[in-house]
């Protein structure tokens, strides 16, 4: 079976709702790729893009030290660290991505502005993506204000970080470095040998939601992939399906890299 057939087979009996967007060179696989899903923490990728753009415009200084305040629960480490801690904006960006730190994320939203994040997302063509609340703001969520995106929008984000000219070469390099040091490899990267390929990814999870988006590179071959899910009766089973999709992509691009 080819790549599309393998992935379609994995999705036939998927329990819950799932959307997939994959781009490898000029080939594209889409399965409900334009549908809107709860973003969970993959929304932190466009926030990262906005931070880098504002740095380029001189609106923020990535080396400025910020005192840690308004500590949020959920994922991350800042909530457990000392009370008088100060970190640079770049440190906050790194923690937001690599350990999905919610306190760092909320501080960055305050620094660059929620409205500006949304405006930039619209400018770069993320028409299904919207930041409507801070992390762990469940009161806003109960009012219907949730953060949302689509698989195709997340692939667009990954391409902006890797190859497009919205960001400078230095900013793209920094974003890739940060995403490469991602600590959560339990979905798209779980079944692949990350020593043999370059990976840069961001996961996201909520109750009955399991998401991941990744850049996977083997030699001159690059794959962009986003898998978003919700309404899951069994999140573990969903993670296994996402992991198999990652394995299929890994096999495909390593094979292509060996034949060119």
């Amino acid at each position: 079976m080819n790549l599309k057939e393998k992935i379609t087979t994995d999705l036939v009996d998927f329990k819950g709702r799932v959307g997939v967007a994959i781009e490898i060179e000029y080939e594209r696989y889409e399965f409900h790729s334009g549908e809107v899903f709860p973003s969970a923490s993959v929304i932190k990728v466009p926030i990262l893009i906005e931070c880098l753009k504002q740095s380029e415009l001189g609106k923020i200084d990535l080396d400025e030290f910020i005192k840690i305040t308004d500590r949020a629960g959920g994922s991350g480490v800042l909530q457990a660290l000392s009370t008088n801690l100060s970190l640079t904006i770049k440190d906050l960006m790194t923690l937001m991505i690599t350990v999905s730190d919610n306190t760092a994320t909320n501080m960055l939203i305050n620094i660059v502005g929620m409205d500006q994040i949304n405006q930039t997302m619209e400018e770069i063509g993320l028409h299904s993506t919207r930041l409507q609340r801070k992390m762990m703001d469940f009161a806003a969520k109960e009012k219907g204000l949730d953060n949302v995106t689509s698989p195709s929008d997340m692939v667009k984000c990954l391409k902006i970080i890797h190859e497009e000219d919205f960001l400078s070469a230095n900013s793209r390099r920094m974003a890739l470095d940060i995403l490469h040091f991602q600590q959560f490899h339990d979905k798209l990267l779980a079944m692949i040998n990350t020593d043999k390929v370059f990976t840069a990814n961001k996961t996201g999870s909520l109750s009955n939601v399991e998401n991941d988006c990744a850049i996977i590179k083997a030699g001159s071959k690059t794959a962009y992939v986003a898998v978003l899910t919700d309404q899951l009766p069994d999140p573990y089973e969903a993670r296994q399906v996402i992991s198999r999709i990652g394995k299929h992509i890994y096999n495909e691009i390593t094979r292509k890299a060996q034949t060119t």
Side-chain angles (χ1 to χ4, degrees):
M1 290 191 291
N2 62 31
L3 177 63
K4 292 182 179 181
E5 291 169 337
K6 290 174 182 176
I7 294 174
T8 300
T9 298
D10 278 331
L11 296 177
V12 166
D13 296 320
F14 189 87
K15 296 178 178 62
R17 202 167 65 101
V18 59
V20 180
I22 300 167
E23 193 168 316
I24 305 175
E25 295 183 310
Y26 299 108
E27 298 178 29
R28 191 169 175 93
Y29 175 89
E30 296 178 289
F31 185 87
H32 301 315
S33 66
E35 290 194 14
V36 177
F37 290 81
S39 66
S41 286
V42 299
I43 196 70
K44 296 170 183 178
V45 177
I47 296 173
L48 176 67
I49 292 172
E50 178 61 25
C51 291
L52 290 166
K53 175 52 71 174
Q54 289 201 20
S55 171
E56 292 177 13
L57 296 173
K59 293 182 177 180
I60 62 173
D61 178 359
L62 299 187
D63 294 323
E64 179 185 356
F65 279 87
I66 306 292
K67 185 175 180 180
I68 306 305
T69 58
D70 300 327
R71 299 178 189 232
S75 58
V77 298
L78 289 179
Q79 59 183 310
L81 300 184
S82 58
T83 55
N84 294 320
L85 181 67
S86 293
L87 295 173
T88 67
I89 293 177
K90 183 183 177 183
D91 291 334
L92 295 176
M93 290 159 49
T94 302
L95 289 170
M96 173 178 70
I97 297 298
T98 60
V99 294
S100 207
D101 194 287
N102 288 327
T103 297
T105 305
N106 287 349
M107 291 184 66
L108 290 169
I109 292 171
N110 287 339
I111 290 167
V112 300
M114 187 178 294
D115 289 342
Q116 186 57 54
I117 294 167
N118 284 317
Q119 181 179 325
T120 297
M121 288 192 293
E122 186 69 25
E123 288 175 2
I124 62 180
L126 307 185
H127 302 307
S128 299
T129 305
R130 192 79 180 166
L131 177 68
Q132 301 185 98
R133 65 173 178 85
K134 291 183 178 179
M135 305 303 110
M136 306 302 290
D137 186 351
F138 296 116
K141 187 175 181 180
E142 288 178 3
K143 295 176 183 178
L145 298 174
D146 203 2
N147 302 324
V148 295
T149 190
S150 67
S152 59
D153 275 7
M154 291 314 302
V155 164
K156 174 71 173 175
C157 279
L158 298 175
K159 293 183 71 177
I160 283 172
I161 285 171
H162 186 247
E163 65 179 50
E164 296 187 7
D165 60 3
F166 179 76
L167 295 174
S168 69
N170 286 338
S171 291
R172 294 198 304 272
R173 191 176 304 112
M174 184 183 297
L176 280 174
D177 286 344
I178 291 173
L179 287 161
H180 176 61
F181 285 109
Q182 169 64 241
Q183 300 298 296
F184 300 121
H185 291 177
D186 60 334
K187 296 171 193 173
L188 284 169
L189 309 187
M191 296 182 182
I192 74 177
N193 185 346
T194 54
D195 292 332
K196 291 188 175 182
V197 293
F198 174 87
T199 62
N201 79 296
K202 181 72 195 82
T203 62
S205 298
L206 289 168
S207 177
N208 302 318
V209 171
E210 297 289 347
N211 297 337
D212 201 358
C213 63
I215 299 168
I216 305 173
K217 295 181 64 176
S220 63
K221 306 301 179 183
T222 301
Y224 303 97
V225 54
V227 183
L228 307 181
T229 70
D230 70 352
Q231 301 175 19
L232 302 174
D234 186 346
Y236 173 79
E237 184 177 325
R239 289 195 297 272
Q240 293 300 299
V241 173
I242 297 171
S243 298
R244 288 198 297 273
I245 291 172
K247 178 64 171 176
H248 295 323
I249 294 168
Y250 170 82
N251 290 340
E252 179 76 5
I253 66 166
T254 52
R255 179 186 63 80
K256 287 188 173 183
Q258 291 169 356
T259 58
T260 57

